[in-house]
Each structure stands twice: as structure tokens, then as C-alpha cells.
Amino acid sequence: MSKTEFVLHDVDEEVKKNMINEHSEKLAMAFGLLVTDAALPLIITKNLRICGDCHSTAKVVSLIEKRTIIIRDPKRFHHFSDGLCSCGDYW
């Protein structure tokens, strides 16, 4: 379930859900899971800060897929493993 409170546009809830589901890090995670070897960590680099919904999604994906996901945003590295993030949810 998407957390639409992170979408700051004044639009309907359905539009917010579509907007947040199309964030680049979610698309990159989906693509990376499909095309990379399961033994390798998934590394994603962004030029914008990660939103709370994408942060939560990466934690869940790392737990379900048993993969290490590393997302670099302009402020820090986020290492997701076993449903936890190295930032301690201080993003």
C-alpha cells in the first residue's frame, strides 16, 4: 500500500497513488530484480532524496527477496538488508 502523504501535489488520491508508484527507485528496483544475479547486491544511484514510501518499499523488498539493496541519494547511502536500513529510518 502506497503512502500517499509523501506526494505534495494537490490532486486526487488515485492520481497520488499513480505518481508515487512511478518513482524512479521503485522502477529501478523492479528492473534490477529481473535482470541481475540474485547473489549480487542491487545498487541504485539517485540525484534526488529518497521519499518515505520508496524507503519503506526498499525495506520490504530486501526482506522478501533476501537481497541487499543499496540506494545512494545526495545525502547518504541506504543499505537495505533483511528489512532494515543502515540509516535507522533517519532519512
Side-chain angles (χ1 to χ4, degrees):
M1 180 101 197
S2 297
K3 297 178 183 175
T4 58
E5 65 264 16
F6 295 106
V7 177
L8 303 177
H9 299 284
D10 186 22
V11 293
D12 293 332
E13 276 301 306
E14 195 61 36
V15 175
K16 286 183 179 184
K17 287 180 186 176
N18 289 337
M19 290 173 76
I20 205 158
N21 287 332
E22 294 173 351
H23 279 185
S24 61
E25 53 268 58
K26 287 184 181 179
L27 298 174
M29 277 189 279
F31 182 74
L33 290 171
L34 289 172
V35 300
T36 60
D37 185 5
L40 298 174
L42 195 57
I43 302 172
I44 300 168
T45 304
K46 289 185 45 74
N47 62 345
L48 299 171
R49 296 284 308 270
I50 187 171
C51 79
D53 185 62
C54 294
H55 193 270
S56 297
T57 300
K59 290 193 317 184
V60 170
V61 169
S62 74
L63 181 63
I64 293 172
E65 293 292 325
K66 305 287 190 245
R67 296 275 304 261
T68 298
I69 301 172
I70 302 168
I71 299 179
R72 169 68 171 136
D73 72 16
K75 295 288 184 184
R76 63 179 39 93
F77 281 93
H78 298 269
H79 294 256
F80 300 94
S81 184
D82 299 321
L84 300 172
C85 181
S86 60
C87 75
D89 293 339
Y90 181 79
W91 47 270

